[in-house]
Amino acid sequence: GVMSFLGAGKDGAVDSALRKTIFALLKACKAISYMLRTDTGDRKGTTNAFGDDQLDTDIIADKLVFQQLEACGCVHTASSEETPKEVKIGGKGYSVAFDPLDGSSVIGSNFSVGTIFGVWPGETLVGVTGASLKCAGMAVYGPRTTLTLAVEGIPGSHEFLLVDDRSASNGSWVHTKAFTSISEGRLFAPGNLRATNDNEGYAKLLDYWRSNAYTLRYTGGMVPDVNQILIKGKGIFVNPVSKSHKAKLRLLYEAVPVAYIVEKAGGASSEGERSLLEVKIDSTQARTQVAYGSALEVKRFEEYVGKKYISSL
């Protein structure tokens, strides 16, 4: 299980405060999974600070994560995409950024959704880069609930499956896969496709994929769409921007933690010119375009799309 996994790193790779923080996040994901199984997907009629419609479920998921982080006593600062400011929650050791329910626009359709989180050392989340992450995770709530963890000092990214053990704690996490390489292969997931209208490089990249008979696999939920690249060990996920179709993905809550997981799994990430782990997160509100996948596919994204179409951002 998770306990033996976290003990498998180099001596002291995972200190007890980090271990407690990770367990708190796993508990929260377990609670969110349980909540989603009985959710109707009704809209609440409010929007968050980024202008996304909020569902009751978003707000409940947000509270579930905050509750667990506060209770663990090892988190100084927490920040959620639902309330994108830094909140001091009284603990010591780490700071956590999270998107409690990524892809909530597809909940009503009963598509898979996810939770994303990143754990940084210290007391602030502004001014950091992904290179200093201690841990990142993404949970997929689909036919199965899985959670992929990447932890500094432990090679690879690792999938855990939530197994119902009929206990009061809503199941236990069982280690099911280790991801260590992402090879080349013809699979693509094209986010923000409407940007092909005025991003010529993206239009050309799409043509390349089509004319080379790539398989299209895209649900509109970033977590399951990136997770499939880990599972299949090949492919590319992109979400480019253009003048009229701006960046939606947040560096702090989504783009950087996912980049950490993909790169630890042997893949690559890019914002057009460099790894997302090199990008300084200047504010909780900062957004970006992204590419995740095998090294050559991400390089092709940089060549075709790069950043030449976003000078207006």
Side-chain angles (χ1 to χ4, degrees), residues 6 10 27 91 153 160 189 230-231:
L6 293 177
K10 295 193 287 286
K27 264 191 206 162
F160 295 84
L230 304 180
I231 301 278

Side-chain angles (χ1 to χ4, degrees), residues 111-235:
F111 281 17
S112 294
V113 290
T115 297
I116 303 168
F117 58 81
V119 181
W120 275 270
E123 301 184 352
T124 184
L125 294 159
V126 174
V128 299
T129 68
S132 60
L133 271 162
K134 289 290 181 187
C135 166
M138 56 180 190
V140 182
Y141 311 110
R144 301 185 300 283
T145 293
T146 61
L147 192 143
T148 299
L149 269 184
V151 182
E152 192 194 32
I154 299 176
S157 292
H158 297 260
E159 183 188 84
F160 295 84
L161 173 67
L162 183 59
V163 177
D164 193 354
D165 55 9
R166 301 280 183 271
S167 72
S169 65
N170 296 328
S172 53
W173 296 100
V174 177
H175 187 270
T176 42
K177 291 185 181 75
F179 304 119
T180 54
S181 68
I182 295 174
S183 317
E184 301 307 321
R186 291 184 297 205
L187 176 84
F188 74 109
N192 201 20
L193 199 61
R194 59 177 79 89
T196 53
N197 292 325
D198 58 340
N199 179 329
E200 206 181 306
Y202 191 14
K204 282 183 181 149
L205 186 57
L206 183 64
D207 279 343
Y208 177 90
W209 292 328
R210 275 200 312 229
S211 58
N212 285 277
Y214 277 50
T215 300
L216 168 67
R217 285 281 180 276
Y218 180 71
T219 70
M222 183 167 87
V223 173
D225 287 339
V226 173
N227 192 58
Q228 71 168 336
I229 293 170
L230 304 180
I231 301 278
K232 293 182 183 293
K234 64 177 184 183

Side-chain angles (χ1 to χ4, degrees), residues 13-72:
V14 183
D15 63 38
S16 73
L18 181 56
R19 190 175 288 130
K20 282 179 187 161
T21 304
I22 292 169
F23 280 134
L25 288 157
L26 292 176
K27 264 191 206 162
C29 290
K30 202 189 277 190
I32 292 168
S33 174
Y34 186 74
M35 171 195 70
L36 285 171
R37 291 204 290 271
T38 56
D39 177 56
T40 59
D42 291 334
R43 294 222 168 270
K44 184 180 183 294
T46 56
T47 57
N48 67 14
F50 293 103
D52 297 334
D53 287 336
Q54 278 175 306
L55 311 177
D56 283 327
T57 20
D58 285 318
I59 292 162
I60 297 165
D62 197 45
K63 282 194 179 127
L64 288 169
V65 181
F66 267 113
Q67 276 166 3
Q68 293 295 341
L69 293 178
E70 280 169 22
C72 85

Side-chain angles (χ1 to χ4, degrees), residues 48 50-53 81 99 102-105 191-192 194 218 220 222 239-242 244-255 284-290 313:
N48 67 14
F50 293 103
D52 297 334
D53 287 336
E81 190 187 308
D99 182 352
D102 186 68
S104 47
S105 62
N192 201 20
R194 59 177 79 89
Y218 180 71
M222 183 167 87
N239 193 303
V241 304
S242 68
S244 52
H245 303 290
K246 303 281 193 265
K248 280 188 74 174
L249 298 173
R250 293 80 181 177
L251 271 169
L252 180 60
Y253 307 105
E254 301 163 296
T284 59
Q285 308 268 358
R287 304 173 191 231
T288 185
Q289 61 173 7
V290 306
L313 283 185

